[in-house]
Amino acid sequence: MPRFMFALVVAVLAVVVGGELALVGGQATSGEYKIGVLEPITGPLAFEGKRHVLGLEIVRDLINQRGGVMGKKLVFAMADATDPTAAASEANRLITREGVKIITGTFSSRLCGAASEVAARHDVIYWESSCVDPRFNKRGLKHVYRTEIDATGFGWYNIEFIAKHLAPRLNLKPNQIKIAFLSEDSSYGQGVTESARQRAKSEFGMQEVMLEYYNWQTLNDMTPTILKMKQLNPDVVHHISFSNDGVLFWRQSKEQNFLFKALVHAGATGYGGSDFGKALGNDANGVFALLEPGPGFRLEALKPEGQQIEKAFRDAVQKETGSYPLGAHQLAGSGLWLLKLVLDKAQSDDPEKFRAAVMSLDLPVGSMINGWGVKFSELGQNANDRVQHYMLQWQNGQLVTVWPEEFTTLRAKWIPLPAWDQRK
Amino acid sequence: MDPATGLGPAQIGVLVPLAVATILLGGIYALISVGLTLIFGIMRVVNFAHGEFLMLGMYLAFWAYFVFTVDPYFVVVVAIPLFFVVGLVVYGLVMRGVIRASHNVQIFTTVGLSTVLQNVALVAWSGDFRFVRPWHLSTVVRAGATTFNLTQVVASVIAVTLTLALVAFMKWTHAGRVMRATAQDRDAATLMGIDTDRVYRLSFAIGIAAVGAAGVLVAPLYSVYPTAGLQFVLISYVVVVLGGLGDMLGAMLGSLIVAAVEVAGSYLFGAAWKEIFYFLLFILVLLFRPAGLFGQRGAETLGV
């Protein structure tokens, strides 16, 4: 338990000292402005939820150093959304007991739907930074917004990469590519996979050789699936994994000597999380994951204001965690920064004034953290082409940015993937 | 498109690796289930915290490897006595008070214990996924068309050895006979002068020792995190019911059957189907052979 006590002491000190520094270093703020933060901080989703919270805390401090929101110091009322039921009841508590007018969250697509329904019932603004369920914005809820693209956008970008970058490097036309779709079966996995399938087929005529969904929580062995895939012999494996399923597929593919030309994933889960590299070391080499930018990302490719906040954010995360920001930090952090931009403009948390401010924001790509821009649709969804996404690749224990090439100094390697023992 | 349609040479060639996958996976399930079948079979307590003891075993392997670089195969030697003691302590603190209470109370207690253990792990070690990567994990043995992962082979071999040792213990020692007698009829056993409390304490401790050892052995194969036990605990219930309560050899055969259903189902119909098949099997067994495929008569009364 000493670890825990130590963490507690550090947290208390950080709050006390951090608060003092904000007052000394930044513009003066008077009073506090409280928003609700809903993330899974215990339970099976906590490993990612806690990273979201850290991203939010870092950006909260950056905001407070820059004058807070609406002239007040931004503070959080925290709530723990372990599962959809808890997400709904905690959202209720934030609204009725804590009296918040804005709630932000919630790592998982399993949680955001339930929580935002509650917020909508109370006319409270729901500001989503991470969940990618395509249905989220399509329920006619007026004060529900999402800063990240949805799963359909992920699928769109993945196929863009396969057709425009991988195909030429494999000396194949897009319609010659044999593609196998494998995915965990949450709304996230299904959303990405179905939109990728649709675009692959209708726009590029790729040949789909397999489609398979599975439940990652009960998956103990992928050998049968791999043996089946071996016979179907795909060029590209489009695999949306959630956690250990990515490690299992990759390790057992190696065991079964299953060779294909590339594997493409999307999102900060599974192959897109740091754990994949930790589990496999250099054996992870070659996997692609669509994400927020990582090492190799060129600051100079951004607008001046984007460069400034991206750098401040990156340095703060580096200081806190000792490494480059992870997807979870970046999604939560950029979401909160965008909330600040809206509040700066609205100067109010009245839902109607807030909505007017959201709709009027129009920033090009490169304007903020992650090189994102802003343009919300009437449905409250930030636009695919403003929320720039990047293809990262595992290279010697690190996920690095490799595409689009104008945003990065590094290049994709191992296309097509060589034999398993030659990926060094 | 579906490889299942048409049975060519390629399909027959794939049978061998599928069979190997079944045996290896079955070995892991057996390792996890033998402890449960003891506790479930003899004490008639549905131990929902079984998966959490597996998780604790996995963390033991992780920390031993992370701090001292000790291979899980050596850790398992320490894990067995250590988890035996843990079993005794948990029995004394938690299980003893509810052993004669209604099943509802026992379920609440073990679910509560499970939640407590998960959250203690979360607070103490965070929710991060941890990995144990000993040298044998990346050692792939190829034999003809089939491939073996060394770690998985060793885990399966130890599982079989451990199970056989327990079978011998149950069959040929006095303590084993007493435990079996209690499993068959706890009231009659009491009347014969058997100290059932001692029997329960011993069964629980042996069961926890077995699952702790299982956790250490499977740690390299799966990631280690506070809720890592959940994915195995449901399967081990299916295994235990298939094999018959308290029947070690039954649990081993049950594990192989569940693994075979899972592997064949995933290969022929897709990974999403595997649970449908083995839970169908579970329901069929409950309907037609409630004592389990190999179970003894009377065991189905569940001590009510």
Side-chain angles (χ1 to χ4, degrees):
Chain A
M1 213 66 77
R3 240 164 192 274
F4 172 64
M5 287 309 294
F6 178 68
L8 198 70
V9 171
V10 171
V12 170
L13 279 177
V15 168
V16 174
V17 178
E20 296 296 323
L21 282 182
L23 281 178
V24 176
Q27 287 166 259
T29 50
S30 64
E32 290 184 339
Y33 183 75
K34 184 156 67 178
I35 64 167
V37 168
L38 195 62
E39 294 283 355
I41 26 194
T42 62
L45 301 172
F47 66 100
E48 201 67 12
K50 286 185 165 178
R51 292 178 187 153
H52 282 256
V53 172
L54 181 65
L56 288 168
E57 286 168 348
I58 284 171
V59 169
R60 175 197 61 197
D61 295 346
L62 291 178
I63 289 171
N64 285 335
Q65 284 160 20
R66 288 162 175 74
V69 291
M70 300 183 286
K72 291 178 179 160
K73 185 180 164 197
L74 180 65
V75 293
F76 293 160
M78 296 296 300
D80 184 8
T82 44
D83 55 45
T85 319
S89 61
E90 283 291 87
N92 211 353
R93 180 181 69 81
L94 286 174
I95 296 162
T96 52
R97 296 271 185 81
E98 300 281 347
V100 303
K101 296 285 177 229
I102 301 172
I103 294 179
T104 189
T106 14
F107 158 50
S108 168
S109 292
R110 287 169 57 197
L111 308 171
C112 63
S116 55
E117 290 278 350
V118 174
R121 237 176 279 145
H122 291 88
D123 238 6
V124 161
I125 296 160
Y126 198 85
W127 191 257
E128 177 58 51
S129 67
S130 326
C131 102
V132 292
D133 187 340
R135 295 168 296 190
F136 178 77
N137 290 99
K138 295 176 184 150
R139 296 170 296 167
L141 305 178
K142 200 174 166 197
H143 304 301
V144 165
Y145 306 91
R146 175 162 53 198
T147 54
E148 159 76 317
I149 52 174
D150 70 5
T152 357
F154 277 56
W156 188 92
Y157 270 106
N158 269 4
I159 296 302
E160 180 89 359
F161 172 72
I162 294 168
K164 305 213 167 137
H165 187 81
L166 283 186
R169 290 188 65 177
L170 294 170
N171 289 321
L172 291 169
K173 291 197 186 73
N175 65 9
Q176 292 173 314
I177 287 185
K178 285 191 286 178
I179 182 164
F181 291 97
L182 181 64
S183 173
E184 55 89 21
D185 62 359
S186 74
S187 57
Y188 157 67
Q190 294 195 31
V192 181
T193 305
E194 291 305 320
S195 76
R197 286 180 71 200
Q198 205 193 348
R199 189 165 188 229
K201 195 176 173 197
S202 61
E203 215 169 307
F204 297 103
M206 291 180 197
Q207 301 165 33
E208 178 179 314
V209 295
M210 190 182 92
L211 169 68
E212 191 157 320
Y213 288 106
Y214 58 82
N215 179 339
W216 70 271
Q217 282 169 304
T218 59
L219 190 76
N220 300 323
D221 189 11
M222 293 198 89
T223 314
T225 310
I226 291 164
L227 290 170
K228 182 158 69 177
M229 291 175 90
K230 246 178 122 167
Q231 300 189 352
L232 298 167
N233 194 24
D235 297 308
V236 175
V237 176
H238 186 277
H239 183 188
I240 305 303
S241 67
F242 198 85
S243 77
N244 189 40
D245 45 338
V247 179
L248 203 59
F249 180 79
W250 199 250
R251 178 168 68 71
Q252 296 193 319
S253 289
K254 185 184 174 200
E255 280 166 31
Q256 297 298 332
N257 199 27
F258 174 33
L259 284 170
F260 41 87
K261 294 178 176 128
L263 184 141
V264 182
H265 162 88
T269 60
Y271 300 104
S274 60
D275 292 334
F276 182 69
K278 270 190 223 154
L280 291 163
N282 284 355
D283 270 351
N285 278 350
V287 173
F288 291 107
L290 186 81
L291 278 167
E292 290 63 52
F297 186 49
R298 289 176 59 222
L299 269 183
E300 316 81 71
L302 307 187
K303 310 270 172 227
E305 69 274 26
Q307 286 184 25
Q308 200 215 352
I309 185 64
E310 169 71 20
K311 184 159 183 346
F313 175 68
R314 211 189 276 182
D315 291 347
V317 176
Q318 182 85 36
K319 203 173 141 199
E320 193 75 28
T321 67
S323 65
Y324 203 93
L326 298 172
H329 303 138
Q330 290 166 316
L331 286 180
S334 59
L336 187 61
W337 183 255
L338 184 43
L339 178 64
K340 171 204 149 52
L341 297 183
V342 173
L343 287 174
D344 281 351
K345 194 149 193 172
Q347 287 301 322
S348 162
D349 56 12
D350 172 70
E352 293 306 326
K353 287 181 187 151
F354 186 89
R355 186 174 168 84
V358 172
M359 294 305 153
S360 70
L361 268 184
D362 187 354
L363 301 172
V365 165
S367 300
M368 52 175 263
I369 297 177
N370 306 335
W372 288 3
V374 186
K375 182 69 201 160
F376 277 86
S377 73
E378 282 297 314
L379 294 173
Q381 172 62 54
N382 203 358
N384 274 354
D385 55 1
R386 297 290 173 97
V387 186
Q388 178 66 50
H389 272 63
Y390 309 85
M391 195 56 79
L392 275 66
Q393 188 182 36
W394 279 104
Q395 294 184 358
N396 302 323
Q398 218 184 2
L399 265 174
V400 300
T401 320
V402 294
W403 179 86
E405 294 191 338
E406 65 266 32
F407 284 102
T408 174
T409 55
L410 301 168
R411 293 293 173 258
K413 296 189 209 172
W414 304 294
I415 303 174
L417 285 167
W420 281 94
D421 51 2
Q422 283 161 25
R423 298 173 187 179
K424 289 176 185 109
Chain B
M1 210 163 90
D2 189 346
T5 54
L7 198 69
Q11 273 68 36
I12 294 168
V14 88
L15 282 177
V16 179
L18 282 177
V20 171
T22 301
I23 293 168
L24 295 181
L25 189 64
I28 288 168
Y29 289 170
L31 196 57
I32 296 165
S33 305
V34 284
L36 189 69
T37 200
L38 253 182
I39 295 171
F40 197 14
I42 293 169
M43 299 169 68
R44 304 296 155 90
V45 168
V46 184
N47 179 19
F48 278 101
H50 196 68
E52 278 54 54
F53 289 103
L54 183 81
M55 172 271 291
L56 290 177
M58 291 168 89
Y59 269 108
L60 177 67
F62 168 76
W63 287 114
Y65 190 77
F66 184 76
V67 180
F68 305 109
T69 338
V70 186
D71 192 287
Y73 296 149
F74 297 110
V75 179
V76 79
V77 179
V78 187
I80 293 175
L82 183 67
F83 275 89
F84 188 85
V85 174
V86 169
L88 289 179
V89 172
V90 172
Y91 181 82
L93 290 178
V94 183
M95 302 309 296
R96 193 177 175 174
V98 297
I99 192 76
R100 277 169 228 286
S102 76
H103 283 303
N104 285 346
V105 174
Q106 294 172 346
I107 289 170
F108 289 142
T109 309
T110 55
V111 168
L113 181 62
S114 149
T115 311
V116 166
L117 291 176
Q118 279 174 21
N119 285 287
V120 164
L122 186 68
V123 170
W125 305 313
S126 86
D128 291 349
F129 282 54
R130 320 275 191 152
F131 303 93
V132 185
R133 300 180 57 209
W135 61 272
H136 41 84
L137 182 62
S138 47
T139 308
V140 181
V141 185
R142 289 188 203 288
T146 58
T147 44
F148 309 86
N149 177 313
L150 197 56
T151 311
Q152 217 172 349
V153 174
V154 174
S156 299
V157 169
I158 295 181
V160 174
T161 317
L162 204 70
T163 312
L164 291 179
L166 273 176
V167 169
F169 172 78
M170 293 293 278
K171 200 156 183 137
W172 288 303
T173 65
H174 178 70
R177 264 196 296 277
V178 166
M179 284 162 81
R180 277 188 292 143
T182 313
Q184 277 167 17
D185 192 328
R186 79 157 71 158
D187 294 328
T190 316
L191 290 174
M192 295 301 123
I194 290 172
D195 180 355
T196 46
D197 188 54
R198 234 186 103 218
V199 171
Y200 292 149
R201 194 168 61 219
L202 188 63
S203 316
F204 195 77
I206 296 177
I208 298 302
V211 75
V216 171
L217 289 167
V218 301
L221 296 167
Y222 301 99
S223 34
V224 183
Y225 56 101
T227 50
L230 291 178
Q231 73 191 95
F232 297 102
V233 77
L234 263 183
I235 291 173
S236 44
Y237 276 105
V238 178
V239 165
V240 166
V241 169
L242 272 182
L245 305 181
D247 185 341
M248 310 287 145
L249 284 178
M252 229 163 88
L253 286 170
S255 302
L256 282 176
I257 292 172
V258 169
V261 168
E262 182 172 334
V263 167
S266 308
Y267 181 76
L268 295 173
F269 298 95
W273 286 82
K274 61 169 189 147
E275 286 187 307
I276 296 177
F277 290 124
Y278 68 64
F279 277 108
L280 259 181
L281 186 68
F282 181 68
I283 291 167
L284 288 177
V285 168
L286 281 181
L287 281 177
F288 296 108
R289 286 202 59 112
L293 288 177
F294 322 99
Q296 55 202 342
R297 285 201 157 271
E300 71 271 29
T301 59
L302 268 169
V304 184

